[in-house]
Amino acid sequence: MDVIYTDNNATTKVADEVIREMLPYFGELYGNPSSMYAFGDEVGRKIRKARQKVADLINADPDEIVFTSCGTESDNAAINAAITAFPEKKHLITSEVEHPAIRNLFKYLADKKGYEVTFVPVDKKGRLDMDILYSSMSENTAVISLMWANNETGVIFPIEEVAKKAGEKGILFHTDAVQATGKVAIDVKKAGVDMLSLSGHKIHAPKGVAALYVKKGIKFPAFLIGGHQESGRRGGTENTVSIIGLGKACELAKEHLPLMNTEVRALRDYLETQLLEKIPGTSVNGDRESRLPNTLSIGFDAVEGESILMLLDQKGICASSGSACTSGSLDPSHVLMAMEVPFKSAHGTIRFSLSHYNTKEEMDTIVGTLVPAIERLRMMSPFWKDGKMV
Amino acid sequence: MWDYTDKVKEHFLNPKNVGELEGANAVGETGSLSCGDALKLFLKVNENERIIDASFMTFGCASAVASSSALTEIIKGMTLDEAAKVTNDDIADFLGGLPKEKMHCSVMGQAALKKAIADYRGIQILEKPGEMVCECFDVTDLEIIEAVKTNGLETVEDVTNYLKAGGGCGKCLDRIEEIVVETRNETAEKINN
């Protein structure tokens, strides 16, 4: 059975070009990039090129890039650097809909380290409450961390505007751009952010490699203390092969950016239109005007997400759900709850996240599978009768 | 992905006894839309109190559907007295087991059955003693206190894993935390005295 993969906000296929770029460094080119001989320096030069490509994707300078192991590490390193730089400031700002890498870190800092944290709420479309955000900024605020785009709904936050306001008040600004990278144009200089996280496996590089942009001049103490790697900010031998893969993936992401905003956006819109037309009691979650081009969060009334995913899986279709029952816990999606998405559709929310590898035929297969699947589940649902909620 | 048995998958993909049952003379409902799981159980019971047919309507995950389907298969042909002895473990066992995080699906089946039997017999189910804390999973403060004391539970998460309380809509999490803290403080005071 062919797989139809529409869960690219979870992870992506490693691009063939990326694999080809990495392969020699698994085999004959195994030198340590820090070694003082040509065999090692050949690998070192490749890492320098990779660093340049990562920087090029976000309009940074190469020495502003720190390679890490994952988006969570980048996020944690950024926030820890910020609070270390300003030990006298005891207030932090983030949003209610952040990824657990930020959300749980901020909860930890509040619960265990005595920080006051403002979790800025969002409205029903997933947009930040700017009044609360701006009014909560103070001289005591060490750092503001806001995601560039939400992983579940794709809603894009006004990063440039907030970074400017934070800068005026002398507050460090970090953005978790893990979902936005490769999907919308990112220019760190134009955006005015101090730190930015991105991750390889969301942009067709392997899992286990990521990067943190740290603007020149920002105080950034070492968080892995060891050798001189990453300008002493993160000691330890580099994840050489994956970093090389990340470099290639960033080069490709830059090339594919126009594709993401034309063809992939059109495919997403086609899927959305078809589902809204053919399945009654269906609604899109999030601001449709300001959203990642590849992401569709769509809720089906009176049915539950895991059941939908299981029926999709029967046809080889991979997607994900905002439903409680698909996660390891029973908690509902904190993003949908923060947006006050009604329970009738929150539990039946499915996220489709596309890439340039998807096709229109695949979208038709998804629609052709979902229409009878929802109908079947509604036939056994006590909350659906005669084509509507009861 | 959940580690479902083949039988769970089979009962989800091809559930038995789905839909409203024509001529049903007993109905039991449990769960709610906000909690993400709900079950409506229909029974047709003859004059000898034997269940001659059963069906269900379920809103929930694959294991909720499979548990409901399994329940109807288990109880068909039983007398009400026999059915009253069916437990959530019987439902889980029939399916070859459920992931521990999904055991509440079988608990929901047992609760709906209990209500359907009471409905047939015209008996009002007595409210459990104590204050209702988690409406999703029908758990009272006294049950939480008992569980904290008996099992040394320390956190809200421990309570959710043990009783499922707080695992649905989450509205009761603050109250559960209060109960955990109060109970642990009381226990500590007794030890110190």
Side-chain angles (χ1 to χ4, degrees), chain A residues 306-307 325 327 330 347 376 380, chain B residues 2 4 13 58 60 102 167:
Chain A
E306 183 199 295
S307 291
C325 273
S327 61
L330 298 167
H347 287 294
R376 178 179 164 184
M380 70 172 92
Chain B
W2 298 108
Y4 285 142
L13 293 172
T58 291
K102 298 283 190 172

Side-chain angles (χ1 to χ4, degrees), chain A residues 300 303-306 308 321-325 330 332 336-337 341-350, chain B residues 32-37 59 168-169:
Chain A
F300 303 98
V303 291
E304 197 276 333
E306 183 199 295
I308 304 170
S321 163
S323 149
C325 273
L330 298 167
L336 300 180
M337 291 301 99
V341 174
F343 285 117
K344 66 173 186 167
S345 61
H347 287 294
T349 286
I350 301 294
Chain B
S32 75
L33 192 63
S34 62
C35 299
D37 279 317
F59 162 75
C169 69

Side-chain angles (χ1 to χ4, degrees), chain B residues 3-5 8 91-99 103:
Chain B
D3 189 14
Y4 285 142
T5 65
V8 171
I91 297 168
D93 290 347
F94 181 90
L95 292 167
L98 286 169
M103 282 302 284

Side-chain angles (χ1 to χ4, degrees), chain B residues 24-30 39-46 48-55 71-72 74-88 90-91 108-126:
Chain B
N25 49 5
V27 178
E29 284 184 78
T30 189
L39 165 61
K40 194 169 183 179
L41 179 68
F42 303 87
L43 303 181
K44 198 187 282 184
V45 182
N46 71 10
N48 299 320
E49 286 207 336
R50 190 168 292 279
I51 299 168
I52 55 172
D53 207 352
S55 75
L71 171 66
T72 56
I74 291 168
I75 60 175
K76 273 205 288 188
M78 283 183 171
T79 63
L80 291 187
D81 284 343
E82 288 166 342
K85 292 175 190 160
V86 170
T87 67
N88 69 298
D90 294 329
I91 297 168
M108 189 168 69
Q110 186 185 1
L113 176 59
K114 197 174 161 189
K115 287 183 179 178
I117 293 170
D119 180 47
Y120 179 82
R121 289 175 168 165
I123 300 167
Q124 200 176 354
I125 294 178
L126 292 173

Side-chain angles (χ1 to χ4, degrees), chain B residues 2 11-13 26 29 52 57 63 65 75 79 131 140 170 174:
Chain B
W2 298 108
H11 273 268
F12 168 66
L13 293 172
E29 284 184 78
I52 55 172
M57 297 187 82
S63 57
V65 173
I75 60 175
T79 63
E131 164 212 343
T140 66
D174 288 346

Side-chain angles (χ1 to χ4, degrees), chain A residues 134-180:
Chain A
Y134 288 148
S135 63
S136 64
M137 291 182 184
S138 78
E139 285 181 357
N140 193 35
T141 307
V143 62
I144 300 170
S145 181
L146 294 172
M147 60 203 329
W148 195 298
N150 186 266
N151 49 312
E152 290 190 30
T153 60
V155 171
I156 296 169
F157 283 165
I159 294 302
E160 195 173 332
E161 184 187 325
V162 182
K164 188 171 176 230
K165 191 73 93 178
E168 287 167 3
K169 291 183 176 284
I171 303 169
L172 279 179
F173 184 80
H174 164 258
T175 181
D176 173 354
V178 165
Q179 284 303 338

